[in-house]
């Protein structure tokens, strides 16, 4: 099994989830006492969040690409960026390493299409919901129709992520609000809902939606294991 490189810390809550899911999936596939060989480097999310607020994506790309190179030097044979939002820097990272980079939107889109779904709602940070790097990739590369919440709901979703989930706070009141946001996406035609933030599965799940949900964290982690085992391209 190839060594998986995890670029994490954005936030550490989801990085811990990635580590658990990757090792659980390796154990499920291989049995016995197996887990996944891996190396992880994490960034200080406070520094990344400041870069996000400044929209200094060039600095962000250089920073993340540098960490990805360090993962490769440490023995990583493929790289996973354990965050949706910072895939805004995905092209820069992929260009500067010599090992495969597994794009979270691609693994998610393939899962959505395999479920026979063509129109999805997208939840995530404001950056993920409003910028083209994510929804545009889903549309242009994978042919999906993508719906995002209205402006008020986008603010709610973004604020819950940054004020609660990345801090490890799970509030029942926020879960109720998210159910309403999801229901409004479904009313507009969403056949499924993408949890396009790696912390969202800490708050909501399948029981909170009347249509299928796609947990990008789990999908990404399981895809990394499949590639590391040579069972995915």
């Amino acid at each position: 099994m190839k060594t998986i490189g995890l670029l994490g810390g954005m936030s550490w809550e989801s990085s811990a989830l990635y580590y658990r899911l990757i090792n659980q999936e390796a154990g499920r596939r291989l049995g016995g006492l197996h887990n996944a060989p891996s190396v992880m480097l994490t960034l200080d999310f406070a520094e990344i969040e400041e870069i996000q607020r400044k929209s200094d994506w060039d600095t962000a790309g250089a920073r993340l690409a540098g960490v990805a190179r360090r993962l490769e030097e440490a023995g990583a044979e493929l790289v996973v960026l354990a965050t949706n939002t910072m895939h805004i820097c995905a092209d820069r990272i992929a260009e500067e390493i010599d090992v495969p980079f597994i794009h979270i939107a691609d693994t998610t889109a393939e899962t959505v299409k395999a479920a026979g779904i063509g129109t999805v709602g997208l939840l995530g940070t404001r950056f993920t919901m409003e910028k083209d790097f994510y929804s545009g990739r889903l549309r242009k590369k994978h042919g999906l129709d993508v719906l995002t919440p209205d402006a008020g709901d986008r603010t709610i979703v973004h604020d819950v992520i940054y004020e609660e989930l990345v801090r490890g706070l799970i509030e029942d009141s926020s879960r109720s609000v998210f159910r309403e946001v999801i229901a409004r996406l479904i009313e507009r035609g969403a056949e499924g809902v993408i949890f396009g933030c790696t912390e969202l599965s800490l708050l909501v799940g399948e029981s909170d939606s009347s249509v299928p949900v796609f947990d990008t964290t789990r999908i990404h982690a399981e895809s990394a294991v499949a590639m590391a085992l040579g069972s995915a391209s």
Side-chain angles (χ1 to χ4, degrees), residues 8-10 42-50 63:
M10 297 167 280
T42 63
L43 295 170
D44 182 351
F45 186 53
E47 296 176 3
I48 297 301
E49 191 273 337
E50 182 177 357
R63 183 79 179 279

Side-chain angles (χ1 to χ4, degrees), residues 108 111-123 182 185-186 189-195 204-215 219:
T108 299
T111 304
V112 170
K113 290 188 293 184
I117 289 173
T119 301
V120 289
L122 174 63
L123 300 178
I182 290 169
L185 286 171
I186 295 169
E191 303 165 331
V193 177
I194 293 174
F195 292 168
V204 285
E206 293 180 358
S207 63
D208 299 298
S209 171
S210 62
V211 299
V213 300
F214 298 90
D215 175 5
I219 292 167

Side-chain angles (χ1 to χ4, degrees), residues 52-70:
Q52 291 175 342
R53 281 189 284 109
K54 294 178 179 177
S55 295
D56 188 358
W57 305 117
D58 287 339
T59 295
R63 183 79 179 279
L64 268 61
V67 176
R69 288 195 300 271
R70 288 169 57 197

